[in-house]
Amino acid sequence: MKSGIVLFVVGKDRKRFLIHEELASSFPSEILRPPIVEEIDEVVFGRCCEFVYTGDYSAPSPIYDGIGKQSLTESVRRWDPARLTWNFFHPEKFPIVCADLRELLGQVNPTYRANDESSTDPKYSYADIFLCHAEMYRFAFRTGWTALCYLSLNRLLGLLANFALCEERTGDIVILFKFVFEKIDSEETEGMGDIKKLVGDYVLWNLEILMRDMDFQLVLKEMPSLETAFFRRMWK
């Protein structure tokens, strides 16, 4: 690539990134404005640089912790979520959601070629990968980066759809749930219904197994209005 170099200095530690001038304009202008420029996590910004150059970004690898079962036995549901036909993860709704999201992604990032996520291994933790996609979405939303919003949502949707959820792995979902509904303050989440809808629908679809997780119960108790909203949606 034949072009000059632009220096980006981001984050509290003033991390320096060198970007080809030809691609520097791909970054939203909001990135260089306070307070975002001082608050940018250098790992997140590094993934943004990767996205500008390749149209995609890398996520961390799953971490082996051995707590999941070698093989999963489908637990018996006492509550059937199949009546939630509006839920993103309903078998009839899910293909439509995937197609719509990929169409939107293709409009803003026509060179992107989605790689379907393979099934996950319950012996590994995927919490860091969930957080990676959620952090990328939050950053993209704050800076008005539409293409990156759609990409991070698409990758999070694919991972959730193929996640081998068992009782030993509910903690991975609780970490994502807390980040989306608790860690992001109200000003940042104004208008961020897409990721809340996605994660909220996944939680509702798998509510029975998640309710066995004490940390999940604690999160709901700490946010009673959210707990009320979730249980109301169960009977829509």
Side-chain angles (χ1 to χ4, degrees):
M1 182 178 297
K2 296 181 179 180
S3 69
I5 298 296
V6 176
L7 173 65
F8 283 76
V9 181
V10 301
K12 295 179 180 179
D13 295 330
R14 299 187 60 78
K15 179 75 174 181
R16 297 161 63 91
F17 290 85
L18 299 176
I19 308 295
H20 284 91
E21 186 175 10
E22 185 177 331
L23 294 175
S25 60
S26 300
F27 289 90
S29 58
E30 288 80 0
I31 284 181
L32 299 180
R33 297 175 183 170
I36 293 178
V37 66
E38 293 91 356
E39 297 173 353
I40 296 176
D41 180 273
E42 62 184 59
V43 175
V44 170
F45 189 77
R47 292 188 177 118
C48 291
C49 295
E50 189 178 358
F51 171 68
V52 166
Y53 276 90
T54 69
D56 203 353
Y57 60 85
S58 58
S61 299
I63 299 174
Y64 177 81
D65 57 18
I67 66 172
K69 298 177 181 178
Q70 182 71 28
S71 60
L72 298 178
T73 302
E74 183 70 21
S75 59
V76 177
R77 290 181 182 266
R78 290 174 295 176
W79 176 70
D80 185 4
R83 63 185 300 275
L84 305 179
T85 55
W86 47 264
N87 191 291
F88 276 2
F89 293 89
H90 189 281
E92 295 180 1
K93 182 75 170 177
F94 184 75
I96 300 173
V97 173
C98 289
D100 289 347
L101 185 53
R102 289 190 178 183
E103 181 180 356
L104 290 170
L105 180 57
Q107 291 173 3
V108 295
N109 188 5
T111 62
Y112 177 71
R113 295 293 178 266
N115 294 316
D116 292 330
E117 300 281 354
S118 57
S119 297
T120 60
D121 188 332
K123 298 187 297 298
Y124 288 77
S125 170
Y126 290 77
D128 288 347
I129 309 176
F130 285 131
L131 287 180
C132 166
H133 298 319
E135 288 169 346
M136 293 300 288
Y137 180 87
R138 177 177 66 174
F139 181 77
F141 175 81
R142 291 187 68 193
T143 57
W145 205 340
T146 303
L148 188 54
C149 278
Y150 290 152
L151 174 60
S152 53
L153 278 179
N154 184 72
R155 294 193 61 181
L156 181 57
L157 175 64
L159 181 58
L160 285 170
N162 291 284
F163 185 60
L165 183 61
C166 58
E167 290 191 29
E168 293 86 351
R169 287 268 72 95
T170 54
D172 294 8
I173 300 301
V174 174
I175 290 172
L176 172 65
F177 180 74
K178 289 178 67 175
F179 179 86
V180 171
F181 286 93
E182 182 181 71
K183 295 296 183 183
I184 305 175
D185 62 46
S186 58
E187 290 185 3
E188 288 185 15
T189 56
E190 184 178 355
M192 283 183 63
D194 290 339
I195 194 169
K196 285 190 170 184
K197 166 69 173 170
L198 174 59
V199 175
D201 276 16
Y202 182 86
V203 166
L204 279 175
W205 193 257
N206 297 281
L207 190 61
E208 185 169 349
I209 187 171
L210 286 167
M211 284 300 296
R212 302 170 195 163
D213 188 297
M214 296 301 295
D215 288 337
F216 180 73
Q217 294 182 33
L218 182 61
V219 173
L220 291 182
K221 288 181 180 179
E222 292 174 348
M223 295 184 286
S225 60
L226 180 62
E227 180 180 21
T228 301
F230 267 114
F231 283 99
R232 282 179 178 172
R233 292 183 69 200
M234 288 174 61
W235 309 111
K236 282 182 64 175

